[in-house]
Amino acid sequence: MTDLDLLHFEQLKRDVQAQYLKEYTPSYDEISKWKGIDIIYFQEDLRKKAKGNISEKSFYTYFKSSPVLKLPRIDMLNLLSIYAGYDSWYDFKKNHLFAGELLTDEKDLSEDEAKELEKTISTALNLPKTEDQPKKIDFTSEENVDLQKNNTENQLIEQKQSLTEVSKTEEIKPLKKSYQKTAWIATASVFVILLGLLGFKDEIFQKTYTYHFTDADRNLGVQSDIEIKVIKENESPILYRIKPGEQFIYPTKDKTLKMEISSTVYEDLEVNRNLENAPEKETIELKPDDYKMALYYFSIKDINGENSEQLISQKRKQLENLISNSATITQVYDSDIYGLETLDKQDYITLVTTPTTSLKNLNVIEMKKDKGKIVSIKFKISNHENNK
């Protein structure tokens, strides 16, 4: 990557902005000021014209700050170049050369790579020839001063003494080995028992509790995701996400259990259990929250067909009645640069009544109501790059 590549990317961002402004009128002309519904409309147009997508996180990383310090991945560069009217990122750079810039084919070696290859070849050609030479081994024979000298008598005496010492040693060795073997077996047995207790102490002392969740009004299993926070004293909460129809299985050695249960369509519930006398299997009923269910339904309901305008108008009126005029509405982003954005009531209603593919991934994280009106909404639109 060169500094010129970063300058080219700034050029590409301006071309992308100009391309979008040909057909749309966002809240701001400058792309770095786009947010919320402007980004969603841009993603929709990018999917339609370039057959690809970039996530909100990438948008905030590369379009909210200028100049950027690093280039996006090549697939994102190619996607944005195609949207701006070029065949590829290479084609875009070729049509935006700076004075004195030489654009080489991407398949060619760079100057540094060529120098390194030349150095490697040169080194290989000048390697000194070395051969393994066999080592010369000198054999010398030991001199026998007197081959005829033979001390037979001395050999017999020494041999008898050796046999006596060996017999005594053999009597001591079996006893010593027997004691050592017994001690080793005993030590190993104790070690294995202790190791087993340490390795399986959790399984020995813990119990497993199973919880099944049902709809209190319909007497059926819940049909939406459930989030369970297990609260422990002096510890951070542990979050579990349970899919529709799944059971919550929780092994523990604790004597008490505190859970906070929440869902997009059910009322929040706090559960406290004394596990010393609690059943190992239990069914917990969740009461539907009419406001949550209505908001969730109206937010994700797909509006298409011949009567789409009439359905949109009906949907807007229903949301107008549900949401307080002073409601706090927050959108959460997967971005290190920009994490939260506040919308007013009308912006939110416009967002959820505009038929876009992004609404399929809308998730209401939290909702609060007061005196018959929704006063707080926190939501997120999950998005993944390269979704088509």
Side-chain angles (χ1 to χ4, degrees):
M1 182 189 73
T2 65
D3 292 339
L4 291 180
D5 286 331
L6 293 175
L7 293 177
H8 281 307
F9 182 57
E10 295 299 323
Q11 291 177 323
L12 177 59
K13 287 161 62 175
R14 290 194 291 271
D15 278 22
V16 168
Q17 172 183 302
Q19 177 66 31
Y20 184 77
L21 292 176
K22 289 180 183 179
E23 300 182 25
Y24 298 92
T25 306
S27 52
Y28 298 93
D29 288 345
E30 189 177 341
I31 195 169
S32 63
K33 296 181 180 180
W34 293 356
K35 56 183 180 179
I37 197 167
D38 296 327
I39 300 174
I40 291 176
Y41 286 156
F42 169 66
Q43 290 173 320
E44 198 74 17
D45 199 42
L46 187 66
R47 278 190 287 266
K48 182 173 66 176
K49 293 179 179 176
K51 309 302 180 186
N53 185 49
I54 63 172
S55 68
E56 283 145 342
K57 181 178 181 180
S58 293
F59 184 91
Y60 278 94
T61 301
Y62 297 108
F63 287 89
K64 280 290 185 180
S65 58
S66 182
V68 294
L69 300 179
K70 65 175 183 177
L71 281 179
R73 298 196 313 262
I74 186 64
D75 57 339
M76 180 175 170
L77 292 170
N78 286 332
L79 180 67
L80 294 173
S81 299
I82 293 171
Y83 179 79
Y86 299 90
D87 293 335
S88 64
W89 167 241
Y90 179 77
D91 183 42
F92 174 82
K93 291 196 294 183
K94 187 171 65 176
N95 285 275
H96 293 77
L97 291 176
F98 295 104
E101 180 185 5
L102 295 175
L103 187 63
T104 58
D105 192 340
E106 292 179 347
K107 295 182 180 179
D108 294 340
L109 291 174
S110 66
E111 184 178 352
D112 292 339
E113 291 173 334
K115 287 182 179 179
E116 185 66 27
L117 181 59
E118 182 180 353
K119 181 179 177 182
T120 303
I121 295 173
S122 176
T123 304
L125 292 175
N126 294 323
L127 285 174
K129 295 182 180 180
T130 59
E131 295 181 359
D132 294 335
Q133 299 294 334
K135 294 182 179 180
K136 184 177 180 181
I137 302 174
D138 293 332
F139 294 94
T140 58
S141 58
E142 296 182 359
E143 295 182 358
N144 193 342
V145 179
D146 190 353
L147 296 176
Q148 301 300 322
K149 190 175 180 180
N150 188 358
N151 298 326
T152 307
E153 295 178 358
N154 291 337
Q155 290 178 3
L156 290 173
I157 294 171
E158 291 176 358
Q159 186 175 3
K160 289 181 180 179
Q161 291 177 347
S162 298
L163 289 172
T164 305
E165 291 175 358
V166 168
S167 62
K168 290 181 179 179
T169 304
E170 287 178 351
E171 291 177 0
I172 296 172
K173 279 186 178 179
L175 293 174
K176 187 175 181 181
K177 285 184 178 179
S178 177
Y179 287 125
Q180 288 178 341
K181 186 176 181 180
T182 304
W184 185 88
I185 293 174
T187 303
S189 301
V190 172
F191 178 76
V192 170
I193 293 171
L194 291 175
L195 187 63
L197 289 174
L198 289 174
F200 296 97
K201 65 176 182 178
D202 288 342
E203 285 75 5
I204 293 173
F205 298 109
Q206 76 179 9
K207 283 187 177 182
T208 300
Y209 299 88
T210 303
Y211 297 95
H212 176 68
F213 300 95
T214 60
D215 188 307
D217 290 351
R218 299 169 181 81
N219 198 27
L220 298 171
V222 296
Q223 298 301 312
S224 67
D225 289 358
I226 298 173
E227 287 190 353
I228 300 175
K229 284 184 181 179
V230 175
I231 311 297
K232 292 189 175 185
E233 189 175 355
N234 300 324
E235 292 186 19
S236 301
I238 305 174
L239 181 63
Y240 299 89
R241 185 181 292 275
I242 307 300
K243 296 292 183 182
E246 290 183 356
Q247 295 179 331
F248 177 47
I249 300 175
Y250 184 66
T252 182
K253 304 188 301 293
D254 297 339
K255 296 181 179 180
T256 59
L257 174 62
K258 181 179 179 180
M259 298 184 293
E260 292 180 357
I261 303 170
S262 60
S263 168
T264 54
V265 295
Y266 292 98
E267 292 183 357
D268 294 344
L269 179 65
E270 182 177 303
V271 176
N272 293 280
R273 291 289 182 270
N274 181 357
L275 298 181
E276 290 183 336
N277 52 17
E280 295 185 9
K281 292 186 177 181
E282 184 178 351
T283 298
I284 297 177
E285 292 186 342
L286 300 180
K287 187 176 181 181
D289 188 311
D290 294 337
Y291 286 91
K292 281 188 177 181
M293 295 188 77
L295 179 63
Y296 179 75
Y297 173 75
F298 292 132
S299 296
I300 67 169
K301 182 180 178 183
D302 192 13
I303 301 177
N304 288 303
E306 298 179 356
N307 300 323
S308 59
E309 292 185 4
Q310 180 180 353
L311 292 173
I312 289 174
S313 176
Q314 180 184 354
K315 183 177 178 180
R316 289 187 67 93
K317 289 180 181 178
Q318 291 167 326
L319 290 172
E320 286 277 3
N321 293 329
L322 283 171
I323 303 172
S324 169
N325 291 331
S326 59
T328 303
I329 305 174
T330 307
Q331 182 174 358
V332 181
Y333 292 96
D334 286 327
S335 172
D336 298 332
I337 299 175
Y338 200 81
L340 299 173
E341 179 183 341
T342 302
L343 289 76
D344 60 24
K345 175 180 175 179
Q346 295 304 320
D347 286 342
Y348 176 77
I349 292 176
T350 300
L351 174 66
V352 298
T353 55
T354 303
T356 63
T357 54
S358 298
L359 289 183
K360 296 178 181 178
N361 298 323
L362 187 143
N363 178 31
V364 178
I365 301 173
E366 183 182 73
M367 189 216 72
K368 297 178 181 178
K369 63 181 185 295
D370 183 43
K371 297 178 181 179
K373 292 284 186 178
I374 296 172
V375 295
S376 175
I377 302 172
K378 184 182 288 186
F379 72 97
K380 178 181 178 181
I381 298 178
S382 301
N383 204 348
H384 303 283
E385 292 189 16
N386 300 326
N387 282 353
K388 295 184 180 180

